[in-house]
Amino acid sequence: MLHAVEIPDRIPKERYFDPDFFRMETELLWPRVWQMACRLEEIPQPHDFAEYEILDQSVIVVRTDDMGVRAFQNSCRHRGVRVVTGRGSCDDGFTCPFHGWCYGVDGRNTGIPRRKTFAEHNLESGDIDLVPVRCEVWGGCAWINLDPDAPPLRDSLEPAASILDEWKVESLRSEWWYACRLPVNWKLAIEAFVEAYHVAPTHPQLVIPTRYGRRDSAPFDARAFVDADLQYLRTMSEGMAGMVHADDVRVAEGLRDTELPSDADAAIAAWNRNLNDAVVAWHRDAGHDMPDLNDLAARGLNLEFFQCFPHYFVLPMYSSATAYRFRPLGPEETLMELWSLTRFSDDDRREKPAPPEPWPPDDPRWPPIPAQDFSNLPRQQRGLHAKGFEYMRLSEQMEGHVSNFERVLDGYLAGLPHAALLPAVQQVNVYPFDKPVVDLGF
Ligand code: FES
Ligand SMILES: [Fe+2]
């Protein structure tokens, strides 16, 4: 197969720019996978709709009268015009702008001007309705899949879905939504965010020496440890504009003077337990739907980072999360969206979030942490083209997720059946930041 990963820790460079490889992804990957099409708060009311575009396909996602969500191919059955663009709200359904064919929010054709001028064979019932697309809801998002044979959404998101459900991910809403148009391949963009190996050189401000309480052989100093952790939380909060939510940082700052045991392990455990409890109490007092973080930890449900293969990510910390979505625009161009998600009370009625105007990667408005990641990416994309560069050399232990992700993709490109792909997809849906190369079963 073209540019396949033959040795797991070596990734051929052509995968990131060869138009033929990109065509294979367009034909064999994207039409077969579940894709996050919109956040549900974009379509809060019946008849609200949002268009989701992936490559040359466009899908209408619409809220139905019973608050369900349905999806249709965005193509008029008369002469193929895209029925909607962008998003909005409709009264009775959709009207094609060209000749005025009408469709209900259930996709059914509800009107054809000068109907009698068409021969019967072009008016066959069913044939003139919008073509339905599989659509399911999970985690505060509507998802679509263009493949009628794909496994159910939920199975395709495990084990991430079950862990995030316990964390009540569906209660999160967008606080902000940004987008970046990156001059790089979509996989290169993803792979800048899935390992910890880059953190010290790219984000030096996140390396805080006493954070784990032990600087060389110096005795443990609980106060220094707490201050270092607060500095880390503040840096993550400001640097990511909300991955650790500012509310949670304030809660942590309020605990600064709490007594801690003198033993290092006991002190760190007590600090983490106190902080979890305080965050939970703060959010519950504010009327938010908030899980018990210490209960999750006690049950071994760790808030790792989650990839919903292939293109949506949830990075939870305490009460809130950052989410990413990546969409290819061409072999060397990607739209990356970033959300800050947090919890609101039910009576907090927010406007529908509006899709962001994409900023370039060097826009001065980016918070420091993505700005640092974005500064590497265009250089990397250009560097890959060097004549003497053949393949990426991955750390088998620290950059295994990159390999696992690329090899699941190869499973799709090889046309493997869903039954073989599903366990492999589930292997990449949860990744501790230093995930090693794993056996995917093919
Ligand atoms: S193309 Fe839609 S009504 Fe003619
Ligand atoms: Fe980074």
Side-chain angles (χ1 to χ4, degrees):
M1 196 183 69
L2 190 66
H3 313 313
V5 179
E6 307 282 2
I7 299 169
D9 55 2
R10 290 184 169 176
I11 311 297
K13 67 170 181 178
E14 293 83 359
R15 299 168 69 88
Y16 300 93
F17 54 77
D18 181 352
D20 289 331
F21 193 82
F22 187 77
R23 245 190 309 279
M24 284 169 53
E25 292 175 345
T26 303
E27 285 163 19
L28 296 165
L29 174 75
W30 293 101
R32 296 181 72 198
V33 288
W34 284 101
Q35 300 174 49
M36 196 284 250
C38 69
R39 295 222 28 107
L40 292 176
E41 59 264 34
E42 294 175 61
I43 49 168
Q45 301 294 334
H47 299 202
D48 287 345
F49 66 87
E51 180 191 11
Y52 172 70
E53 287 185 279
I54 179 70
L55 299 160
D56 62 353
Q57 298 298 303
S58 169
V59 174
I60 308 170
V61 181
V62 62
R63 186 75 84 156
T64 55
D65 286 303
D66 59 0
M67 292 302 281
V69 180
R70 297 189 64 170
F72 307 98
Q73 293 183 19
N74 185 11
S75 178
C76 179
R77 299 297 289 167
H78 176 221
R79 279 167 64 184
V81 166
R82 286 193 177 178
V83 178
V84 304
T85 54
R87 57 207 59 221
S89 189
C90 59
D91 292 332
D92 292 330
F94 311 105
T95 303
C96 178
F98 197 0
H99 311 91
W101 283 34
C102 296
Y103 304 92
V105 290
D106 58 0
R108 291 254 300 273
N109 189 302
T110 54
I112 295 177
R114 308 185 66 171
R115 187 182 183 108
K116 292 204 174 81
T117 66
F118 287 83
E120 265 317 304
H121 67 201
N122 269 343
L123 296 174
E124 263 164 42
S125 138
D127 199 43
I128 52 173
D129 301 336
L130 293 176
V131 176
V133 171
R134 286 179 70 187
C135 181
E136 293 178 30
V137 165
W138 175 81
C141 305
W143 303 71
I144 61 98
N145 195 322
L146 296 162
D147 182 356
D149 298 324
L153 172 67
R154 175 88 200 185
D155 293 351
S156 309
L157 300 179
E158 291 295 11
S162 287
I163 301 170
L164 287 168
D165 278 345
E166 296 281 348
W167 186 63
K168 298 179 182 287
V169 68
E170 76 286 354
S171 300
L172 300 174
R173 304 273 177 277
S174 324
E175 183 154 58
W176 53 252
W177 179 10
Y178 299 147
C180 185
R181 191 183 272 265
L182 285 159
V184 308
N185 181 268
W186 68 281
K187 303 185 297 301
L188 206 72
I190 284 178
E191 291 162 13
F193 297 91
V194 297
E195 41 81 4
Y197 186 44
H198 77 286
V199 169
T202 298
H203 312 295
Q205 74 275 28
L206 291 178
V207 181
I208 300 169
T210 57
R211 185 163 178 248
Y212 294 103
R214 296 180 190 83
R215 196 191 334 228
D216 302 330
S217 57
F220 178 73
D221 176 346
R223 171 47 56 98
F225 160 71
V226 167
D227 282 340
D229 205 44
L230 290 174
Q231 188 190 335
Y232 176 77
L233 297 175
R234 277 192 293 266
T235 310
M236 285 299 282
S237 182
E238 289 153 19
M240 285 293 289
M243 183 162 163
V244 179
H245 197 275
D247 290 336
D248 295 354
V249 176
R250 268 193 298 277
V251 169
E253 282 167 342
L255 298 178
R256 180 167 183 264
D257 295 321
T258 315
E259 275 304 310
L260 291 175
S262 54
D263 172 69
D265 291 340
I268 293 169
W271 166 256
N272 289 332
R273 214 167 36 242
N274 294 345
L275 179 50
N276 281 344
D277 278 340
V279 166
V280 171
W282 189 91
H283 283 275
R284 289 184 176 172
D285 281 352
H288 303 166
D289 185 26
M290 178 74 205
D292 183 331
L293 295 173
N294 280 325
D295 175 58
L296 292 188
R299 290 158 58 208
L301 299 173
N302 295 323
L303 296 183
E304 313 277 10
F305 291 158
F306 301 94
Q307 175 169 11
C308 301
F309 180 88
H311 77 158
Y312 184 67
F313 290 73
V314 181
L315 285 60
M317 292 197 77
Y318 301 98
S319 70
S320 304
T322 295
Y324 303 142
R325 177 172 65 179
F326 298 84
R327 276 181 286 174
L329 302 175
E332 296 184 73
E333 190 163 31
T334 294
L335 180 66
M336 176 185 185
E337 291 157 280
L338 301 88
W339 287 263
S340 176
L341 305 175
T342 189
R343 296 170 199 270
F344 297 101
S345 61
D346 284 345
D347 46 9
D348 192 327
R349 294 261 165 260
R350 303 210 150 219
E351 296 281 297
K352 286 186 213 173
E357 202 47 52
W359 298 342
D362 57 357
D363 191 288
R365 288 170 289 185
W366 286 114
I369 291 175
Q372 289 165 332
D373 294 310
F374 294 160
S375 72
N376 293 329
L377 276 166
R379 292 169 65 154
Q380 185 185 15
Q381 184 73 35
R382 289 195 298 271
L384 290 177
H385 285 273
K387 297 257 182 268
F389 185 82
E390 326 86 320
Y391 45 77
M392 297 189 185
R393 297 162 173 79
L394 300 180
S395 160
E396 196 184 3
Q397 290 305 315
M398 296 190 76
E399 295 172 296
H401 188 77
V402 172
S403 164
N404 302 333
F405 166 60
E406 291 282 347
R407 288 178 299 128
V408 174
L409 168 62
D410 277 355
Y412 280 88
L413 302 187
L416 297 185
H418 284 294
L421 292 167
L422 185 61
V425 164
Q426 292 179 345
Q427 289 255 33
V428 300
N429 282 345
V430 178
Y431 60 104
F433 231 30
D434 288 332
K435 184 150 178 167
V437 171
V438 296
D439 180 0
L440 297 171
F442 52 74

